[in-house]
Amino acid sequence: MTRRVRRSELATPASNDRMFAKAAGSGADLVFLDLEDACAPAEREAARGKAARALRDLDWGRTTRAIRMNGVDTRWAHGDVIEVVTGAREALDVIIVPKVRTARDVWWVDVLLTQLEETLNLRKRIALEVLIEETEGLQNVAEIARSSDRLEAIIFGAGDFSAAQGAQVDTNFDPIVDYPGDIWHYARSRIVVAARAAGIDAIDAPFPNYRDPAAYRAAARQAAAMGYAGKWAIHPGQVGVANEVFAPTPEEIAHARRLVATYREAEAGGLGATGLDGILVDAAHLRLAENVTSRAELLGL
């Protein structure tokens, strides 16, 4: 599986080609051209060609290029995959599969991609990400996380999940009453545990209120604390915040490296634990520190 940076995943309507260049230059780690909810049904088929041309012709720099297809239970699903892959070829890195309910949904896309890659003689495999936005999907998330070796990330889709659960929330998917804590903590916890157990990334939900960067930052920091690798962005203005929040700071990197060095020195002396700044350091701390240093290495920090 390819290791990718996913601090920010920017959604862009595939039907609106005027937004493509701005998305490509946004600095997002991943941009997906959305053939699903961001496109009116009458525009979805025409948007496939626009997406393929943009993926192929624009300069995306280091940005991972993706699409969000329509759900496997819709009439657009097979056409989305066939037309965009045929048109974009190696210019498409990832397909995001929405409203995944069971592992079989992922299998369906995987098989179709395998057939296309062989038919088109593509040199690289296209990866998958999936959205958990149905209650059935959350119930099956552990099996979904291990459903395909193409699968690199699971995204929490709070909007549709709100509807699936029958939750009473506002347009930012926040509870309309004074709720104690995070109303989506259970869903977020199940998703990140399933993802980490399968060795893939978890990406946090979109935040529709793009005019409140402070609130977006707070939500991103909470997700990062839980182990999420990044967050969805619905506006280019959210990208910089996500990129900052989901990257370790220089101070965190320096402390992690000092902790590893201290532990290794103690280990060489036959000790299983030691002290650093007045705090006991053991093998569990080493694993936490190595999470920071490996992320820093992935980001080139």
Side-chain angles (χ1 to χ4, degrees):
M1 183 183 76
T2 302
R3 292 189 67 208
R4 305 180 202 268
V5 181
R6 288 184 168 87
R7 298 166 300 174
S8 53
E9 296 204 350
L10 177 63
T12 304
S15 56
N16 191 344
D17 46 6
R18 294 172 298 175
M19 300 177 70
F20 294 169
K22 187 172 184 179
S26 67
D29 290 331
L30 179 149
V31 171
F32 66 91
L33 304 181
D34 189 7
L35 295 164
E36 197 213 16
D37 287 352
C39 282
E43 301 294 324
R44 291 179 184 179
E45 294 178 9
R48 295 168 184 161
K50 293 181 179 181
R53 286 189 294 274
L55 294 167
R56 190 179 62 237
D57 297 342
L58 291 179
D59 180 6
W60 294 89
R62 296 182 179 180
T63 297
T64 297
R65 296 160 293 183
I67 63 164
R68 176 166 66 164
M69 61 180 285
N70 282 276
V72 299
D73 59 346
T74 70
R75 68 179 181 86
W76 298 287
H78 74 289
D80 289 346
V81 177
I82 292 169
E83 290 189 34
V84 177
V85 172
T86 301
R89 298 189 177 234
E90 274 82 9
L92 176 63
D93 301 309
V94 174
I95 292 178
I96 298 174
V97 189
K99 298 179 177 64
V100 169
R101 298 172 184 268
T102 68
R104 186 173 178 82
D105 295 342
V106 186
W107 174 87
W108 185 92
V109 181
D110 189 337
V111 170
L112 181 56
L113 277 176
T114 298
Q115 295 168 350
L116 275 170
E117 288 165 348
E118 292 176 357
T119 299
L120 299 171
N121 294 314
L122 298 187
R123 298 186 300 273
K124 70 175 185 182
R125 296 183 85 211
I126 296 168
L128 296 175
E129 298 183 8
V130 299
L131 271 155
I132 298 298
E133 46 191 340
E134 300 289 337
T135 50
E136 184 181 0
L138 187 65
Q139 286 291 80
N140 296 318
V141 68
E143 293 81 10
I144 290 168
R146 297 180 182 274
S147 59
S148 168
D149 62 1
R150 294 181 188 269
L151 187 58
E152 296 184 355
I154 303 176
I155 310 164
F156 175 43
D160 277 289
F161 194 87
S162 301
Q165 184 167 302
Q168 296 182 353
V169 296
D170 61 20
T171 52
N172 204 50
F173 315 137
D174 294 321
I176 62 174
V177 299
D178 186 14
Y179 188 87
D182 175 12
I183 193 172
W184 302 124
H185 182 77
Y186 172 73
R188 285 188 166 106
S189 294
R190 284 197 66 172
I191 288 168
V192 73
V193 168
R196 293 288 293 184
I200 62 178
D201 289 334
I203 307 300
D204 194 38
F207 194 89
N209 188 2
Y210 61 88
R211 293 183 176 177
D212 192 345
Y216 179 81
R217 178 182 295 274
R221 291 185 66 185
Q222 290 173 359
M226 292 184 71
Y228 277 78
K231 187 168 179 62
W232 193 321
I234 57 94
H235 187 277
Q238 295 177 332
V239 168
V241 176
N243 286 352
E244 177 187 341
V245 169
F246 290 97
T249 66
E251 294 76 17
E252 289 169 340
I253 297 169
H255 181 267
R257 288 175 175 160
R258 191 159 66 94
L259 189 152
V260 171
T262 299
Y263 181 87
R264 293 305 184 196
E265 182 180 350
E267 186 181 46
L271 299 176
T274 186
L276 178 65
D277 300 333
I279 297 176
L280 178 72
V281 173
D282 62 11
H285 295 89
L286 180 68
R287 292 181 67 187
L288 287 167
E290 288 176 341
N291 282 345
V292 175
T293 56
S294 64
R295 189 154 182 79
E297 183 179 323
L298 182 63
L299 291 165
L301 300 177

